Amino acid sequence: MQAAADLHIHSCFSMASSPRMVPEEIIKGCRVKGISVIGTGDILHPEWRQMWQDTPVDDDIIVVPTTEVEGAGRVHHVILLPDFNAAADLAQRLGSHSKDMDTNGRPRVSLSGEEILSHVHAVGGIGGPAHAFTPYTSVYAVHPSLSSCYGDEPVDLLELGLSADSRYGAGIAELSSVPFLTNSDAHSPEPSKLGREYTVLELNRSDASGVLDAVQQGKIVMNVGFFPEEGKYNRTACSRCFRQFSFEEAAATSWKCPDDGGRIKKGVQERAQSLSSGPVSERPPYLHVIPLSEIIQRVFDTKSPTTRRCRDLYCKCIDRLGDEITILMKTPPDEIAAIDFRLSCAIRSFREGHIILHPGGGGKYGSFEIPGLRDPNPNH
């Protein structure tokens, strides 16, 4: 059984998260998106854990207790657990090392990566670096290697993050046997956020333990996610004015922007290249996607995918054609054209790779253009 899994999201108890990030809205968003395995996120928070335990979920959605914690050096770790009892046990184990376990969806824990994963493994969970290459709160921003962070404790997975794809880690020798995950890190149930990245897994069992087994055994069929250039840390850039630099240019200015004095942050692309020794591992296919709501935004040339026109067309597509993943990947263009001709042209261009990318960096998301959106037959 193949399943689309988004295993890193956040709750209404995390900073900068939507108050709509509650179990019912998340499950609803999964069905709209086509996600069949969802991580709870923030499962160490007692109230959030109880909310999930009180929420009935049909068999078509597998719920996996997951969390992200911040450890020593401000390194973030993503954790997957087999059940809610294991989540409660882990919260108790880590609680004495945290001042905000009961108040913050993503708690800070005063332990090393090795100590955190030791506790995770003791309760039957698995874990590894979250958004491993970003310039803030990532393992490779702080440590020269996985062993520097995790010691002898096995690393079960690595999350690529929105600014990287599989190519960025495939040349790093120490990652040759570590499965790569792609997750949304969503703070909102909006279609442009939830499931914007996901991992297709081959499951032997339709439960949380089956998901953990699939990840640990590397049964990854495909990674699906952004073009890395769309990520806000892909290129080396000033964190204030977002001017982009080559590595040599940044080093020549001592990593200080000559325009405004802002700090230049090394981009994910540069960081991964500096760690790479050349291709060392074969990886599952990586499919680059753009959320349907953002394609619709380009069709209407609006400032946001949440305008009424964009929402109306998005809902019409979902009502008539099914979930978003199916529409983006499989629905015949003529069926989409029956709803909106320009959208059909845009999705065809996306599928054929006719996308112009404008890379992000320094904390500013990249963007994209889809050429030729104008309807050649306006009376269609």
Side-chain angles (χ1 to χ4, degrees):
M1 167 189 167
Q2 292 188 5
D6 183 0
L7 296 169
H8 179 181
I9 66 171
H10 288 283
S11 71
C12 55
F13 296 103
S14 277
M15 185 181 299
S17 282
S18 166
R20 293 178 54 231
M21 282 300 272
V22 295
E24 294 83 357
E25 290 295 317
I26 291 168
I27 294 299
K28 187 189 303 182
C30 286
R31 292 199 171 93
V32 168
K33 201 79 175 191
I35 297 294
S36 50
V37 178
I38 188 68
T40 61
D42 299 355
I43 202 59
L44 302 183
H45 189 286
E47 190 173 346
W48 183 240
R49 191 162 60 249
Q50 190 61 52
M51 288 171 69
W52 273 105
Q53 290 177 290
D54 292 343
T55 300
V57 180
D58 293 338
D59 292 340
D60 59 333
I61 304 286
I62 301 171
V63 176
V64 181
T66 64
T67 192
E68 180 186 25
V69 301
E70 182 177 297
R74 298 195 63 213
V75 176
H76 287 193
H77 313 272
V78 63
I79 296 165
L80 282 55
L81 298 162
D83 52 46
F84 291 110
N85 289 333
D89 289 347
L90 184 61
Q92 185 174 22
R93 283 172 166 267
L94 299 183
S96 60
H97 305 281
S98 174
K99 296 180 180 179
D100 61 355
M101 183 69 67
D102 294 342
T103 58
N104 187 357
R106 183 182 60 207
R108 299 176 179 89
V109 180
S110 58
L111 295 174
S112 68
E114 182 176 20
E115 291 168 319
I116 289 170
L117 278 196
S118 175
H119 285 295
V120 170
H121 292 148
V123 301
I126 60 176
H131 42 74
F133 302 104
T134 54
Y136 300 99
T137 66
S138 77
V139 64
Y140 285 123
V142 178
H143 295 275
S145 66
L146 289 187
S147 61
S148 170
C149 178
Y150 295 104
D152 295 329
E153 201 66 30
V155 176
D156 308 296
L157 57 93
L158 177 141
E159 182 184 62
L160 292 168
L162 303 182
S163 294
D165 62 17
S166 299
R167 296 170 298 173
Y168 286 55
I172 301 173
E174 68 174 349
L175 301 182
S176 61
S177 61
V178 179
F180 292 165
L181 296 185
T182 36
N183 300 308
S184 71
D185 199 356
H187 289 62
S188 164
E190 289 294 331
S192 59
K193 305 299 182 185
L194 189 68
R196 58 186 169 178
E197 293 203 345
Y198 59 92
T199 308
V200 181
L201 301 172
E202 183 68 46
L203 303 180
N204 290 329
R205 298 201 319 275
S206 300
D207 58 17
S209 292
V211 173
L212 269 63
D213 288 345
V215 173
Q216 201 163 22
Q217 295 167 20
K219 293 184 176 180
I220 294 171
V221 178
M222 181 184 298
N223 294 96
V224 183
F226 278 17
F227 292 91
E229 293 85 351
E230 290 184 85
K232 61 182 178 180
Y233 299 117
N234 184 258
R235 299 296 167 86
T236 297
C238 174
S239 57
R240 186 178 297 170
C241 70
F242 308 117
R243 174 182 167 184
Q244 296 184 6
F245 299 84
S246 68
F247 179 84
E248 292 75 18
E249 289 170 338
T253 65
S254 300
W255 298 85
K256 187 174 182 180
C257 179
D259 293 342
D260 60 9
R263 189 178 180 187
I264 299 173
K265 299 300 294 183
K266 183 189 287 188
V268 165
Q269 183 185 64
E270 294 274 10
R271 190 178 307 281
Q273 286 174 350
S274 70
L275 295 163
S276 178
S277 57
V280 294
S281 61
E282 287 289 329
R283 292 291 173 174
Y286 193 107
L287 180 63
H288 296 107
V289 296
I290 297 171
L292 176 60
S293 58
E294 292 188 11
I295 296 177
I296 291 172
Q297 178 188 357
R298 298 310 190 274
V299 168
F300 288 137
D301 193 24
T302 62
K303 292 183 178 180
S304 167
T306 62
T307 63
R308 183 172 179 177
R309 290 178 73 198
C310 291
R311 284 181 178 276
D312 286 350
L313 180 53
Y314 183 91
C315 291
K316 187 181 292 185
C317 289
I318 297 299
D319 289 345
R320 297 187 185 181
L321 302 175
D323 64 75
E324 178 175 330
I325 292 173
T326 298
I327 294 169
L328 286 174
M329 307 304 170
K330 299 178 181 179
T331 303
D334 58 340
E335 293 185 23
I336 302 172
I339 296 175
D340 189 282
F341 181 78
R342 291 172 300 166
L343 179 59
S344 174
C345 293
I347 290 178
R348 186 192 298 271
S349 293
F350 152 70
R351 289 177 181 174
E352 294 174 354
H354 302 315
I355 302 292
I356 299 172
L357 296 167
H358 303 284
K364 181 180 180 180
Y365 281 107
S367 61
F368 67 92
E369 298 178 43
I370 303 177
L373 279 183
R374 197 170 73 173
D375 189 345
N377 181 11
N379 295 319
H380 183 89

